[in-house]
Amino acid sequence: MTGVAESTVTAAPPWFTDLFAHRRWIRRVEPFPHIYARDVFVPEFYGRLADELARVRRERPEAFGAVASDYGTVGASLAELRDGPLALFLSREWHDLIARVMGVTTTGDVEGAVHHHRPRSPSGSPHNDLNPAWFEGAAPGPSEIRTVDPQVDLKTGPPIPEIFARETVRAVAVLFYFGNPDWRPGDGGETALYAHVGANPVPALPVPPLDNSLLLFECTPRSWHTFLGNNAAARNSVVMWLHRPKDDVLRRWGGDSIAQW
């Protein structure tokens, strides 16, 4: 089953609304609720994003580090890439658009990176992204965005009690695919969505990494997904998360639902 999710960017300032090619994204309910969109940005701005990726990969290879010991990708934090068009993804306008389309109340706290999977990367394991995340200081104001503070470990919180931090939980996952020209079916590198997991889980829906396309979903106990490897060429994407108060998750699903690191 599918439907149309209005991206509702018309209330935002012109510098933001003019970046979008259209405002009708597809809402799908299987294998779990998610939104998918093609041709998200106008060609000129998408070209700037792709050029920026190429520039950063060429001029700042040291910005890309291992994302996790069990995950075959390298990433560059969006917080370190704010001097160009990638800054859009850390704007309050982008945050509020995603939260509004998803219908999720969020805190203004954002984590994210540009991910680069090398050719023939291994597949990941299904996970739901319902993870805790710590952010320094008081909650952001209505026009602010808070990113991860270097002195606060995202997964475990502040190292000393004197540093005040808040525990949140990932609320919405955002994947924007770019820098993958000429991708064709059979090339690998899709994002797999699952209806259920267990022994030898089978993807219910592989989402292709087509340039200028977007995948959104609320992080819930059943938002199972992973990267499908064996990709013929490098796969690039922006991967980011919006967050919600921990109490919201406790009321809705209980504490056992939170996937600890």
Side-chain angles (χ1 to χ4, degrees), residues 94-259:
W94 176 256
H95 170 280
D96 290 352
L97 168 63
I98 299 303
R100 190 162 57 245
V101 169
M102 296 303 301
V104 176
T105 299
T106 52
T107 60
D109 300 295
V110 173
E111 55 170 310
V114 173
H115 281 189
H116 175 81
H117 286 86
R118 300 180 180 93
R120 305 302 176 189
S121 290
S123 296
S125 300
H127 53 285
N128 61 17
D129 277 1
L130 194 63
N131 305 114
W134 289 83
F135 290 87
E136 183 272 336
S143 62
E144 299 176 319
I145 285 293
R146 182 72 45 79
T147 58
V148 179
D149 190 287
Q151 66 180 345
V152 175
D153 190 291
L154 173 76
K155 301 179 180 180
T156 61
I160 56 175
E162 288 75 16
I163 299 176
F164 174 69
R166 294 166 292 109
E167 186 180 15
T168 69
V169 180
R170 287 173 169 175
V172 179
V174 181
L175 292 92
F176 175 74
Y177 305 99
F178 72 140
N180 307 306
D182 303 321
W183 186 92
R184 295 290 184 271
D187 286 350
E190 298 96 332
T191 300
L193 308 185
Y194 296 81
H196 54 80
V197 293
N200 301 315
V202 177
L205 179 66
V207 178
L210 297 171
D211 280 349
N212 203 11
S213 68
L214 179 72
L215 171 65
L216 311 174
F217 56 85
E218 182 179 6
C219 301
T220 77
R222 61 180 295 260
S223 56
W224 300 107
H225 65 283
T226 197
F227 167 74
L228 288 182
N230 199 32
N231 43 309
R235 196 203 78 168
N236 299 289
S237 59
V238 169
V239 180
M240 59 182 295
W241 295 268
L242 279 57
H243 297 78
R244 64 187 355 143
K246 182 179 180 180
D247 285 347
D248 289 356
V249 175
L250 298 181
R251 285 192 296 269
R252 188 171 177 186
W253 298 299
D256 291 343
S257 68
I258 299 174

